Amino acid sequence: MHKELAAGQTASVENVVTATRSASAFAADPNEKFPEVLATPFLIADMERACARLLEPFLSEGELSVGAHIDVRHIAPTGVGGRYRATARFVDEKPPLFWFDVVAEDDVGVIGKGRIARAIVSEAAIMARGAQAVPRA
């Protein structure tokens, strides 16, 4: 790490709920029915992206940030076509983790909030470990 993140520093990701980002897109068989609202995995993904944006300036060549801990509540729905913003606020560094408070809001109010930790790792190391779980032909 070449610099230091300042407590309270924020970054945001804005998005629009599409049919492919809705909970209904997760239905895998005809008997499953989920609502046409923002799916929790996509909400969390945008919260993670906001955290990652804060870490981008601190990455060295060959490094990336990865999620390490997620404690998020999805508390209100946003329908297809609705816009929302996920914001991460840097709280603290407890090596090897960087901790962020996250909140997501749509035009009505807060739709999700919680805490996320990310770590900075070697891309080569994470890919090598990931490859160990892939069956060899």
XYZ file of all heavy atoms in Angstrom, residues 3-12 50-51 53-55 57-58 87-91 99-101:
197
model
N -0.373 4.558 -0.162
C -1.030 5.695 0.466
C -1.925 5.171 1.575
O -1.964 3.991 1.842
C -1.880 6.442 -0.565
C -1.167 6.805 -1.828
C -2.167 7.326 -2.836
C -1.527 7.414 -4.211
N -2.469 7.729 -5.250
N -2.660 6.078 2.180
C -3.617 5.678 3.202
C -4.995 6.158 2.837
O -5.163 7.273 2.344
C -3.219 6.280 4.551
C -2.757 5.238 5.537
C -2.469 5.864 6.886
O -3.399 6.322 7.547
O -1.289 5.877 7.253
N -5.983 5.324 3.072
C -7.370 5.744 2.907
C -7.754 6.573 4.121
O -7.402 6.227 5.242
C -8.281 4.515 2.862
C -8.693 3.988 1.509
C -9.410 2.656 1.674
C -9.554 4.947 0.766
N -8.491 7.632 3.893
C -8.947 8.470 5.002
C -10.299 7.978 5.486
O -11.195 7.700 4.676
C -9.047 9.917 4.543
N -10.443 7.841 6.801
C -11.742 7.455 7.364
C -12.789 8.446 6.885
O -12.560 9.653 6.841
C -11.669 7.435 8.887
N -13.935 7.913 6.467
C -15.020 8.751 5.987
C -15.030 8.959 4.489
O -16.008 9.462 3.935
N -13.967 8.570 3.803
C -13.906 8.699 2.346
C -14.990 7.823 1.723
O -15.219 6.700 2.168
C -12.519 8.270 1.877
C -12.108 8.807 0.544
C -10.634 8.507 0.262
O -9.825 8.305 1.164
N -10.293 8.476 -1.008
N -15.673 8.328 0.670
C -16.780 7.586 0.068
C -16.614 7.426 -1.436
O -15.894 8.191 -2.085
C -18.138 8.276 0.323
O -18.149 9.555 -0.323
C -18.426 8.414 1.800
N -17.311 6.431 -1.962
C -17.443 6.204 -3.403
C -18.816 5.601 -3.624
O -19.358 4.916 -2.749
C -16.360 5.281 -3.930
N -19.387 5.861 -4.791
C -20.731 5.359 -5.094
C -20.793 4.698 -6.460
O -19.987 4.995 -7.336
C -21.753 6.505 -5.058
O -21.855 7.053 -3.773
N -18.648 -0.352 -5.088
C -18.368 0.954 -4.477
C -17.155 0.854 -3.552
O -16.276 1.726 -3.565
C -19.599 1.461 -3.725
N -17.086 -0.219 -2.770
C -15.919 -0.434 -1.896
C -14.652 -0.574 -2.731
O -13.615 0.027 -2.422
C -16.103 -1.697 -1.048
S -17.464 -1.643 0.125
N -13.985 0.600 -5.615
C -13.578 1.887 -6.204
C -12.685 2.669 -5.249
O -11.757 3.344 -5.673
C -14.801 2.724 -6.569
C -15.447 2.278 -7.840
C -16.509 3.216 -8.317
N -17.045 2.695 -9.567
C -18.081 3.200 -10.190
N -18.724 4.241 -9.689
N -18.501 2.675 -11.314
N -12.975 2.582 -3.959
C -12.147 3.284 -2.985
C -10.740 2.696 -2.906
O -9.780 3.406 -2.603
C -12.801 3.259 -1.603
C -13.972 4.222 -1.426
C -14.724 3.918 -0.144
C -13.476 5.661 -1.425
N -10.620 1.403 -3.183
C -9.313 0.745 -3.088
C -8.497 0.828 -4.377
O -7.278 0.639 -4.348
C -9.488 -0.717 -2.678
C -9.994 -0.939 -1.252
C -10.247 -2.416 -1.000
C -9.025 -0.367 -0.237
N -7.142 3.179 -6.242
C -5.908 3.978 -6.298
C -4.744 3.385 -5.498
O -3.606 3.825 -5.651
C -6.315 5.322 -5.688
C -7.799 5.349 -5.715
C -8.248 3.926 -5.652
N -5.021 2.407 -4.658
C -3.999 1.848 -3.777
C -3.449 0.511 -4.266
O -2.580 -0.073 -3.635
C -4.563 1.708 -2.360
C -5.075 3.011 -1.841
C -6.423 3.315 -1.914
C -4.211 3.957 -1.311
C -6.905 4.532 -1.462
C -4.680 5.174 -0.852
C -6.028 5.463 -0.931
N -23.490 3.308 -1.871
C -22.370 4.125 -1.408
C -21.596 3.387 -0.328
O -22.192 2.818 0.590
C -22.871 5.470 -0.852
O -23.591 6.159 -1.885
C -21.719 6.347 -0.373
N -20.274 3.410 -0.460
C -19.379 2.813 0.536
C -18.633 3.941 1.236
O -18.172 4.879 0.591
C -18.392 1.867 -0.130
N -18.507 3.826 2.540
C -17.736 4.777 3.343
C -16.656 4.008 4.077
O -16.950 3.079 4.837
C -18.640 5.505 4.339
C -17.890 6.557 5.173
C -18.820 7.331 6.090
N -19.520 6.479 7.037
C -19.005 6.055 8.190
N -17.778 6.374 8.547
N -19.718 5.288 8.992
N -15.390 4.354 3.835
C -14.283 3.674 4.496
C -14.330 3.961 5.987
O -14.447 5.101 6.414
C -12.938 4.119 3.912
C -11.762 3.525 4.626
C -11.525 2.158 4.607
C -10.905 4.326 5.352
C -10.440 1.604 5.284
C -9.817 3.790 6.029
C -9.587 2.424 5.996
N -14.213 2.876 6.781
C -14.283 2.996 8.233
C -12.921 2.770 8.873
O -12.468 3.578 9.683
C -15.305 1.989 8.815
C -15.322 2.044 10.328
C -16.690 2.248 8.248
N -12.376 -2.138 6.031
C -13.790 -2.195 6.410
C -14.549 -0.972 5.913
O -14.068 0.160 6.022
C -13.915 -2.313 7.923
C -13.496 -3.657 8.404
C -12.243 -4.049 8.793
C -14.323 -4.812 8.523
N -12.244 -5.378 9.152
C -13.514 -5.867 8.990
C -15.674 -5.057 8.269
C -14.012 -7.151 9.220
C -16.168 -6.331 8.501
C -15.351 -7.353 8.969
N -15.751 -1.226 5.396
C -16.599 -0.183 4.824
C -18.024 -0.305 5.360
O -18.558 -1.408 5.451
C -16.662 -0.316 3.293
C -15.319 -0.295 2.628
C -14.595 -1.467 2.466
C -14.775 0.890 2.175
C -13.347 -1.452 1.851
C -13.525 0.909 1.568
C -12.813 -0.260 1.400
N -18.633 0.829 5.685
C -20.069 0.878 5.916
C -20.689 1.146 4.561
O -20.200 1.992 3.792
C -20.448 1.986 6.893
C -20.139 1.621 8.337
O -20.027 0.419 8.641
O -20.004 2.545 9.163
